[in-house]
Amino acid sequence: MIALPVLWLFGASGVGKTTVTWELFVQLAKEGISTGYVDIDQLGMCYAPPTPHHWALEPADDPGRHRLKARTLDQVVANFWDAGARCVVVPGVTDPVRGVDTDLVPHAALTTCRLRADPAELGRRLAARGRPTVDDFAEEFAYADALDRAFATEPCVDTTGLTVAQVVDLVRARTSWPDLATPAVRPHRTREVPDPTPGEILWLCGPAAVGKSTVGWQVYQQARRAGANAAFVDLDQIGFHRPAPADDPGNHQLKAANLAAAWRTFRASGAACLITVGPLDRPEDLAAYTAALPAATITLCRLQASRRVLGDRVARRGRGLTPTRGLAGDELIGQPQARLREIAEQAARIVNALDGVGDLRVDTDDRPADEIATEILSRTGWSSLLR
């Protein structure tokens, strides 16, 4: 069986995995190749409650949750195929000894390529992310060194001193990916949606700059501190697909299928609840999620903000001032002022269009994210569930 071509770019923090993979995704879409993008880290955010000494304990039989991510990726790749993708790009870390366990991803015709950078360059890039001293980079340096030793003969691109475009060119040259000369055969599906997995899912929705990712992450942290075995997913990061279908411009059918795949794996791994964040541009798009997860209880929390606040947040993101650095697809960065004003106005219109949709509405104007998260947990009744 010939499965869907998948390119997995891996490497240590700071080598450029997300930036390079996103540029490749955009490039392929511009070339007319129907392409999917999924952040592998989003398929492994499933953690037991923290202990006094550890925020994220790893399971003994799957340190790094690499096998969990690979199993979920397999179903996600099949969903991309169903959505019409001809290939999928994936950035993320891998097991520093075994690499990617290809047996766990049978629906993918997998190509891997390692990105690396010199230690001095890594240090500069990590410092630019806000870490104060070189001592804070010890874990990243050790992981980078382990990859250099374990995968010395694998396809590799050194990103030191190169532009993103130059790295993309080298990756494509050294991997000859994607090779679309041989048509892929549809992967055999062992199951179909709707998903029978029960459980509690809290979805924070709203337009751009309303605070979904920032507040959602705070909800997730508070849930875990309260003792929940919780999971977290950013819908965009598991459902980028270009070109999107004309009848589903937000890729909600794909996102819903991928969310169901992630929740099924998380639930089997012990998760009691899931916090997810993502846009909901039209009320009718909600049906895709309820259809894909009919056995789960989905609580929809609609975030909103005033035109003034939306305009300010959009302008800040346009200047690169965002609390969610490292996530792909923030196309507000670098946009001209006129375009940013259009985006802010569109966000305000979406707020109005969603009026009355969901289980609760929460205002985010001029409020800290942790305060908003506490309110959400209280008003949804999740606070009592987490005790």
Side-chain angles (χ1 to χ4, degrees), residues 5 15 35 76 99 106 112-113 120 123 130 135 152 172 196 245 254 256 279-280 313 343 347 366:
V15 297
T35 307
V76 165
T112 60
C113 182
D135 292 338
R172 298 188 72 170
L254 172 63
L280 184 68
R313 291 176 182 168
I343 293 171
D366 306 320

Side-chain angles (χ1 to χ4, degrees), residues 217-233:
W217 188 251
Q218 282 292 328
V219 172
Y220 174 58
Q221 290 180 317
Q222 289 189 22
R224 291 193 60 234
R225 285 196 293 266
N229 188 330
F232 180 89
V233 171

Side-chain angles (χ1 to χ4, degrees), residues 17 197 226 260 272 315 369:
K17 300 183 296 295
T197 308

Side-chain angles (χ1 to χ4, degrees), residues 330-353:
D330 190 344
E331 298 183 319
L332 274 65
I333 297 175
Q335 292 286 347
Q337 289 300 313
R339 176 58 183 150
L340 293 174
R341 285 193 294 269
E342 290 177 2
I343 293 171
E345 283 299 315
Q346 181 184 28
R349 288 193 296 271
I350 291 173
V351 167
N352 292 332

Side-chain angles (χ1 to χ4, degrees), residues 42 203 228 241 286:
Q42 294 287 329
W203 179 9
H241 177 216
L286 179 59

Side-chain angles (χ1 to χ4, degrees), residues 215-282:
V215 174
W217 188 251
Q218 282 292 328
V219 172
Y220 174 58
Q221 290 180 317
Q222 289 189 22
R224 291 193 60 234
R225 285 196 293 266
N229 188 330
F232 180 89
V233 171
D234 184 316
L235 288 173
D236 277 339
Q237 300 300 313
I238 64 170
F240 286 117
H241 177 216
R242 294 181 182 175
D247 60 346
D248 185 21
N251 283 312
H252 290 290
Q253 294 288 341
L254 172 63
K255 291 175 182 177
N258 285 347
L259 182 65
W263 176 232
R264 181 169 59 255
T265 307
F266 291 159
R267 185 73 167 173
S269 299
C273 58
L274 168 68
I275 294 91
T276 188
V277 300
L280 184 68
D281 300 334
R282 306 176 302 177

